[in-house]
Amino acid sequence: MPSSTSILLKNGVALIHDSDNHVVPTKTDILIQNDRIAKIEKDIEPDAAEVIDCTDKIISPGFIDTHRHGWQTQLKGRHANELLLAYMVSGNAQACQFSAKDVFYGQLAGMLESIAAGTTTVVDHAHITVSPDHAKMGIAGAASSGIRSVYCYTPVMRIKSWNPLTYHDNPLEDWVMETFSNLASEGPWADGRITLGFAFDLFFLGAEVVKGIFAVAKKGGIQTITIHSAHGPQLGGGWPGGITQLLKEWDLLDEHILFSHSNNIDRADADLIRQTNAHISSTPSTELQMAMGRPACFDASFLDGKSAGLQDHASLGIDCHSYISASIIGEARIGLQNARANFNEYYLQQGKTTAGLPDSLSVEAAFNLATVKGAEAARMEKDIGRIAEGFKADLAIFDALSPALVAAAQHDPIAAIILHSSPADIDTVIVDGKVRKQNGRLVDTAVEEQAQETVGKANLSWVDVAKELVGSRGRMQAEIDTIDFEEATATLKKVFHVDESVFVAT
Ligand SMILES: [Zn+2]
């Protein structure tokens, strides 16, 4: 039985959601006992608690990232000018370069970057399952970071060779679902902080096979099954009728489904997702860059009626931190401003304008996508996403006197966070009642026991992690430099049935 711990957050301004999900900045103390918020009121006596002075601090619910590929740290920086098809070769397919140890460090560092940015929960679409050890080290990396994670085990197409690019014939060799079932009986991990989810994209295997796999996943007690729903010509247009309709036809669409992207869906699909209480994760930066369409997380982007938004069932994700920073607030900001541009443009095209922005395009709406709506999408709305007694102590504490936040924080803390802040303004991050960032710096991590033999250490500072990453990245790059990308891209176009005529010369 772990010993009881308590932390008292003294004299901060807490961002507390009311019953209508409006945020009420409230000057208060917050007492944390073990992993949960025990009391929210003024002038709590410290007793035996560790006291954190929150004078001139904003206490926010920790942010929730509902679509992430946490392993990809060593690939950061290479996708700056790429669209989706190119990424499938230079990013997604490079899973084959990662040893199990590389996965541990990639996952750990990706999650630490998130914690530094105030994210306390991640739904990880972990498509790094090239062996049982890779899955185990991914889970160990997430657990060691201190973050809360739904680690979604993912059957993948494994690469057999480059030059030419070939794949292993059978993506469902016996070990794939056996490993899943073993993990399902072994988890959850880290006092329940890491739970097992499932992710799946191999729908070409056909209805019977896919139904069988989903049945195994459900039997494993899985609460979240996450699926890429990416449309558009970059990947051959996706499924005829779309992935939402396919799941409906195969009787697999229910409240456990979390689609990522879902750009450019029509109203019928949006209604279907609402009716079944499934959810979506919008990842504005990657969607805007990679020609995937307008993010569906703000309805006001769709006044032209060409496709539909799904703001009431949406949340935010990073997708690839190999593309962009892992700040969910960064995604809230770029998503919000993009939607405001779409909204304004709709009227400007008609020679008109509006007197103001609608509530659905407010900074509070963006903040809610990063908090309460993220919790709903992750199916954890009774535990995370808001500051309330009995909820998990997952918090991001901002410095209201920082150069970026001062004056904004005192006027409107939500505006300060959404439009003015960066991870540098986050002084303290608490996950599951434990301090993971303090005085603006990540605290050292304890390596999960099952990874200690692979890692060779029991504790890691951020500097240790960064040095390992530089070495790991360099080893991979030497291999990546031998790849014929032109040949690999041509092969991938055939795999995805991409229509060459859709590509316009630039
Ligand atoms: Zn993705």
Side-chain angles (χ1 to χ4, degrees), residues 58 88 96 386:
I58 304 168
M88 292 302 289
C96 64
R386 64 182 71 228

Side-chain angles (χ1 to χ4, degrees), residues 67-69 72 87 92 125 127 201 228 260-261 283 286 290 292 318-320:
H67 182 63
R68 185 66 173 279
H69 307 297
Q72 293 181 327
Y87 154 80
N92 182 290
H125 186 134
H127 50 18
D201 293 312
H228 281 114
S260 47
H261 313 310
T283 67
T286 56
M290 291 202 273
M292 294 163 76
I318 296 299
D319 198 359
C320 309

